Amino acid sequence: KTSGIVFFSVLPIEEIPGIIEETRNLFGPNHIVLDNASVKKPLVEAYTRLEERGVSICSTHPLCKHDQPLHGQKALVLEVGSNAQRAREVAENLYKNAGMVTLPLSFDDHDRTMTVVQLVPHLVMRSIGQALERSGVDMSTLREIAPANFQLFNLSLWRTLVQDPNISATVIFNLLKNEEGQALAKRIKEAVQKVVATKEKGRLADMFDKDYRALNNEDIGDTMNEVTITVLERLANLQVKSITIETQEDRPGLLRDMLSPFEKHGVNLTAIDSHSRKDGIRFEIGIDEKTYSPEALAAIATSLQAMGYSIVEIKNNQ
């Protein structure tokens, strides 16, 4: 009752209308309501009742997991009704202050528009996860021996599996209610059945080539191939030899200072990743094995520790 802004971040999402119904008499024209729900249909009726009370409402959808660095990630901003301006300004400031990129989208069209990008990973990856679980495979072993295609697929699979199951259940349950979701699920099922039923290798290859040509608008295939090569190269560089460093500092020139011992001891680098954390920054640095020696790396570690940095891990898989 005494708050100015109420932000709903609730799982399962279907609980939000009940909360609003129990407390709606406390809401008035001075209130701003936001949410970060991944589907919007369950909220429509409750938000209509709040709008009638003069509440300013802006629904949002951050397009990333909560535990990843937010800088540069996207967030959808969806005005609800004709009273949304104040709430939209708060939502945009909130996400921009986190370094995110805000994109406007229609609240009414959200679920239909997001059907492909939400339903495909949750429906397909959860179904494959179920199939793999029933097959009794050892995912740790598969990860170790994975060729490039499976390595990238495995990243996408686990990206979905580690999320709260309520998110996948909500997305699948709600998006399969609309016509677009039902049609997409039907096409996925039919495509799998068609591939399995095709008994000639040549026909399969022709089918896949036709699909690729139809999907390859503006030669997006070349761009995506380059992106995946970059990802695989980065992972390989960090896997062969790397050092992980943590620091509570965050200032201009930090990386230059941190890299100076590598230059001093003649060690070349193949990858540099930084990850923002609550208590500072973690750097993962790939090391060129051709310029590596245990003595040089030990001296580098000693220098970094003397500079106040923490050595979390030194990896050597050769």
Side-chain angles (χ1 to χ4, degrees):
K1 185 174 182 179
T2 59
S3 64
I5 301 172
V6 179
F7 194 118
F8 288 103
S9 181
V10 178
L11 282 176
I13 293 167
E14 289 81 2
E15 295 288 339
I16 297 177
I19 298 171
I20 291 176
E21 181 61 29
E22 291 181 18
T23 60
R24 65 172 175 165
N25 291 333
L26 302 179
F27 286 93
N30 293 327
H31 280 101
I32 287 173
V33 166
L34 309 172
D35 72 77
N36 59 359
S38 54
V39 294
K40 306 304 181 183
K41 186 176 180 179
L43 309 179
V44 173
E45 292 184 10
Y47 277 176
T48 298
R49 291 194 290 271
L50 287 185
E51 189 188 3
E52 291 172 352
R53 299 183 67 86
V55 178
S56 182
I57 308 170
C58 184
S59 190
T60 76
H61 186 177
L63 302 178
C64 61
K65 285 171 72 261
H66 68 282
D67 56 355
Q68 74 181 86
L70 300 180
H71 187 268
Q73 301 299 323
K74 299 174 184 176
L76 300 178
V77 175
L78 309 96
E79 294 187 359
V80 180
S82 58
N83 226 4
Q85 182 176 348
R86 289 188 300 125
R88 188 197 70 227
E89 292 173 355
V90 171
E92 289 180 343
N93 286 333
L94 173 70
Y95 289 113
K96 287 179 180 178
N97 286 339
M100 301 180 73
V101 178
T102 59
L103 302 171
L105 190 69
S106 165
F107 178 77
D108 295 332
D109 291 341
H110 173 275
D111 291 2
R112 178 183 58 80
T113 304
M114 297 294 290
T115 296
V116 172
V117 296
Q118 286 195 278
L119 184 59
V120 168
H122 287 280
L123 177 61
V124 173
M125 294 305 175
R126 288 293 184 182
S127 299
I128 291 175
Q130 192 173 95
L132 292 175
E133 188 275 329
R134 292 179 179 179
S135 300
V137 299
D138 184 342
M139 296 302 295
S140 296
T141 300
L142 294 183
R143 179 175 179 269
E144 291 297 322
I145 65 173
N149 283 350
F150 185 82
Q151 189 174 359
L152 292 170
F153 164 80
N154 201 32
L155 291 173
S156 181
L157 173 66
W158 283 101
R159 181 76 177 172
T160 302
L161 295 185
V162 299
Q163 294 187 54
D164 188 322
N166 281 299
I167 296 177
S168 292
T170 297
V171 168
I172 294 170
F173 182 78
N174 282 281
L175 294 187
L176 284 181
K177 288 182 177 179
N178 65 47
E179 293 181 6
E180 293 81 5
Q182 293 172 7
L184 180 59
K186 181 180 179 181
R187 292 188 190 103
I188 292 172
K189 181 179 179 180
E190 290 172 348
V192 172
Q193 291 174 335
K194 184 175 181 180
V195 168
V196 173
T198 302
K199 302 303 181 182
E200 297 180 17
K201 183 174 64 175
R203 287 182 60 194
L204 267 181
D206 290 341
M207 184 193 310
F208 298 154
D209 182 63
K210 180 182 177 182
D211 295 339
Y212 173 77
R213 292 180 184 278
L215 293 171
N216 191 28
N217 297 325
E218 300 180 0
D219 293 325
I220 190 176
D222 291 339
T223 300
M224 296 306 295
N225 187 52
E226 185 175 344
V227 170
T228 57
I229 289 173
T230 300
V231 171
L232 290 166
E233 183 180 30
R234 169 200 164 274
L235 293 174
N237 286 335
L238 293 174
Q239 185 69 22
V240 174
K241 282 184 174 66
S242 62
I243 183 170
T244 303
I245 306 164
E246 285 186 353
T247 174
Q248 295 181 353
E249 293 186 274
D250 187 1
R251 57 175 174 80
L254 171 64
L255 181 59
R256 179 197 61 199
D257 294 345
M258 183 179 291
L259 298 182
S260 60
F262 293 92
E263 180 183 11
K264 177 180 178 182
H265 293 280
V267 173
N268 199 22
L269 305 179
T270 58
I272 302 174
D273 278 1
S274 64
H275 306 278
S276 297
R277 302 166 65 84
K278 291 181 180 180
D279 54 353
I281 303 176
R282 170 176 287 193
F283 289 92
E284 294 180 74
I285 299 177
I287 299 170
D288 185 352
E289 66 271 22
K290 296 188 292 296
T291 62
Y292 160 88
S293 73
E295 295 76 17
L297 193 56
I300 290 169
T302 299
S303 296
L304 290 170
Q305 289 169 332
M307 297 166 69
Y309 305 127
S310 299
I311 307 301
V312 178
E313 180 184 28
I314 297 177
K315 186 181 294 184
N316 182 5
N317 283 339
Q318 276 197 339

